[in-house]
Amino acid sequence: MTRPYLNDTHDPKLQSWVPGANEADNGFPIQNLPFAVARRRDSQEDFRVMVAIGPYALDLGLLACDTPWHGKAADALAACVKPALNGLMALGQEYWSALRAALSHDLRQGSSAESRLRPMLIERSKLEYALPAQIGDYTDFYISVHHATAVGKQFRPDAPLLPNYKWVPIGYHGRASSIGVSGQQFPRPVGQTRPPEGQEQPNFGPCQRLDFELEMGILIGKGNEAGRRIPIAQADEHVFGLCLFNDWSARDLQAWEYQPLGPFLAKNFASTISPWVVTLEALAPFRRPFSRPESDPQPLPYLQDQTNQESGVLDVELEVYLSTEQSRQQKKDPALLSRSNFKEAYWTVAQLVAHHSVNGCNLQTGDLLGTGTLSGPAKGQEGSLLEMNQGGKNPIDLPWGEQRKFLEDQDEIILKGLCRQDGYPTLSFGECAGRVLPAVP
């Protein structure tokens, strides 16, 4: 199987001199090295680009003052002095790879850089985060056939999937300004809902069917010129990395407003992104073959090539947890709601990039692509409450005695993502947490 970008940074035997970085399943071994923008909590420091290693983060803004390297690695590090990843992301794959290689070399056991880098480490538990990038545009896709089928059955039992679904990656343009980083708290959205039977005027008020959506976010690195499409063979070169993403959804607002143009107020009030961006290069060992059932339409030529067939799929385990005001008062652990996997998606990352640009659309550095809700085929693998409770018909029982059809005030959703396989250290995406506050009167 072809796995692009595999090099010595992926060596499963690599160890780091950083305390705790070699502990089993810590999630941030030297093979990961994800990026974030952060500062010490409750400080007045500037936010800076950092890279995670074990329970620590290495301050790249501080390291850049030392100018320790030459060539592309030095140029990439110099781009990390601003409080966003956009400068680094705009440089392109060769620079990202050079920086990763230099960091891997200096963080390895036996490196002569240990004494110089050790004072630049900060405990991750003491950090607060900003958005990892300035997000200019945001597109949300709909690439889980299991989610699309489950939701479609609630409205069209005999034909849950529309005729175009298996031919074209479905997507729409969302709003970037309300995307917040993990820890985001937002008031319950307010808007119009469908008139009750016998009433002509719609109701207006707080959303009663607030839901989460388990997604992954894809951050665009180097963009393309307007009018020049990105071939699928080059699509991965334009992807800097992936993160966790919760695209909150007001189901009752959406049911009233979505025809004929799609969701509006139901989706633009808040979306939450995880702070740590795992680079596409770090994910290379977790690539899997892409295939379609023979009975399904095969992708059109612009959406398929040999590399995508051999290694287009990413194996990322995903989990959703819920805590409530009552559970936190009782000091109960958050309840696991579901588990799914990104590898179950109907379309790959490269296919999304190729399709998005095939009409000449110019993707730009910092653009975010959401995958859409990522559900699996079995019970317990649903990526939203709408699926779990069949549209609100079957409340979910929580371990501490509460029930939920949809989210209530002070509920907190926590997404987690892991890459695991035998003989390789576990890679973590960290957490993506967001909490619902009462609606503004």
Side-chain angles (χ1 to χ4, degrees), residues 324-351:
T324 71
E325 192 166 30
Q326 180 176 321
S327 73
R328 293 188 293 272
Q329 289 176 350
Q330 297 179 5
K331 302 188 184 308
K332 301 289 187 181
D333 291 334
L336 175 66
L337 295 183
S338 71
R339 284 193 174 102
S340 64
N341 196 303
F342 189 25
K343 69 182 180 182
E344 299 283 354
Y346 201 71
W347 300 98
T348 68
V349 171
Q351 287 171 327

Side-chain angles (χ1 to χ4, degrees), residues 36-50 59-62 79-85 122 126-133 181-182 275:
V37 173
R39 67 181 179 187
R40 288 179 177 84
R41 188 181 298 111
D42 300 324
S43 75
Q44 299 301 311
E45 298 173 348
D46 293 332
F47 283 97
R48 300 186 296 279
V49 174
M50 301 193 183
D59 187 336
L60 297 190
L62 194 58
C80 295
V81 297
K82 294 184 178 180
L85 286 168
I122 306 171
K126 296 181 179 179
L127 294 176
E128 62 176 333
Y129 298 94
L131 285 173
V181 74
S182 181

Side-chain angles (χ1 to χ4, degrees), residues 28 31 36 40 141 165 176 210 214 220 241 280 365 373 382 411:
F28 296 96
Q31 291 82 359
R40 288 179 177 84
F141 283 96
Y165 187 84
L210 184 61
L214 168 63
I220 297 297
L280 200 59
T365 299
T373 306
E382 304 90 349
D411 283 357

Side-chain angles (χ1 to χ4, degrees), residues 280-301:
L280 200 59
E281 183 172 352
L283 295 171
F286 298 92
R287 287 182 173 271
R288 307 288 182 255
F290 169 85
S291 63
R292 283 279 171 81
E294 291 185 4
S295 58
D296 281 9
Q298 298 306 301
L300 295 180

Side-chain angles (χ1 to χ4, degrees), residues 393-408:
K393 297 176 184 176
N394 302 309
I396 298 166
D397 293 320
L398 299 174
W400 47 85
E402 290 185 282
Q403 288 186 327
R404 285 294 184 273
K405 291 183 178 179
F406 292 96
L407 297 174
E408 298 185 6

